[in-house]
Amino acid sequence: SQTLELIQQTVLGGPPEPGGDPMMFVYPAWVFLFYAPLALLPLKWAVAVWTGILLAGSLDFIGYLAYRWGNRQPRRMMLWTLLLIFGSLPFLAISVTKGQMGLVSLAGLAAALWLWERRPTLTGAALGIAFFKPTVAVIPILGFLLWALIERRPRIILGFVACLGILALASFLAIGNWLPDYLALLTTTRGA
């Protein structure tokens, strides 16, 4: 809680008004699984690797969408590529340069959609990964889970629950009983 308050004061120039924290640094403890390997590298290398992964993944996804929506026709693919890049440029630039975990959540949602028909258990696991940034993905995740219930696909739900269980267990083993602190941290955002 104190760390979040210091970040808010530094970024906002003082304590934020109720609902006035645009940064919302409130991640569940299991995000350490993504960052722990980077801790083995010097900071500049870790930043370069993480930013490179986010940029490559984002550009690859744009290329995939352009390929699919352009029906493999070069002119249409180029049009879609330009539309997607310029349409997402501000979000993409900010997310990649700031190293935001929201892109991991969006990648989890994309993977869940891609795996839906072929690998139901992995679809659920991808939804669990999408839960890394709850503020970005909680509503789409609920939509996926509702869709799985309607279509009677219990393996998707089991994959999701198993993934969250593994993440929670890993968090507990590494950090201890972090859940009460996380819930207290959510209140530190002053209702944002």
Side-chain angles (χ1 to χ4, degrees):
S1 296
Q2 294 89 353
T3 303
L4 181 61
E5 288 178 4
L6 286 173
I7 291 170
Q8 290 170 333
Q9 289 178 9
T10 301
V11 171
L12 303 173
E17 297 294 320
D21 177 11
M23 305 310 279
M24 292 187 25
F25 293 109
V26 286
Y27 295 105
W30 52 67
V31 300
F32 88 92
L33 293 169
F34 266 79
Y35 291 125
L38 296 173
L40 300 173
L41 300 172
L43 180 61
K44 289 182 180 181
W45 280 94
V47 169
V49 168
W50 183 245
T51 303
I53 289 169
L54 292 179
L55 182 60
S58 299
L59 293 176
D60 185 54
F61 187 62
I62 285 173
Y64 173 75
L65 291 177
Y67 177 76
R68 292 290 304 254
W69 295 345
N71 293 326
R72 301 178 185 145
Q73 296 175 8
R75 283 188 158 180
R76 285 185 179 187
M77 288 170 39
M78 183 58 72
L79 175 66
W80 274 112
T81 300
L82 291 173
L83 287 173
L84 288 167
I85 286 176
F86 287 115
S88 64
L89 195 55
F91 168 75
L92 196 63
I94 291 168
S95 295
V96 168
T97 58
K98 302 273 186 209
Q100 293 182 351
M101 291 296 291
L103 292 175
V104 174
S105 291
L106 294 176
L109 291 172
L113 189 59
W114 185 63
L115 294 166
W116 182 266
E117 291 299 327
R118 296 170 290 198
R119 301 285 191 115
T121 306
L122 288 179
T123 298
L127 291 174
I129 297 297
F131 206 62
F132 266 48
K133 175 90 174 180
T135 54
V136 169
V138 71
I139 293 173
I141 289 170
L142 291 174
F144 269 101
L145 295 175
L146 179 61
W147 187 12
L149 280 173
I150 291 170
E151 289 195 359
R152 293 186 175 94
R153 304 204 50 193
R155 290 179 63 195
I156 292 173
I157 296 167
L158 289 174
F160 175 71
V161 170
C163 181
L164 284 185
I166 290 168
L167 292 173
L169 179 63
S171 301
F172 183 76
L173 291 174
I175 301 168
N177 193 10
W178 59 272
L179 195 54
D181 288 337
Y182 177 64
L183 294 175
L185 185 68
L186 290 176
T187 62
T188 308
T189 64
R190 302 184 184 359

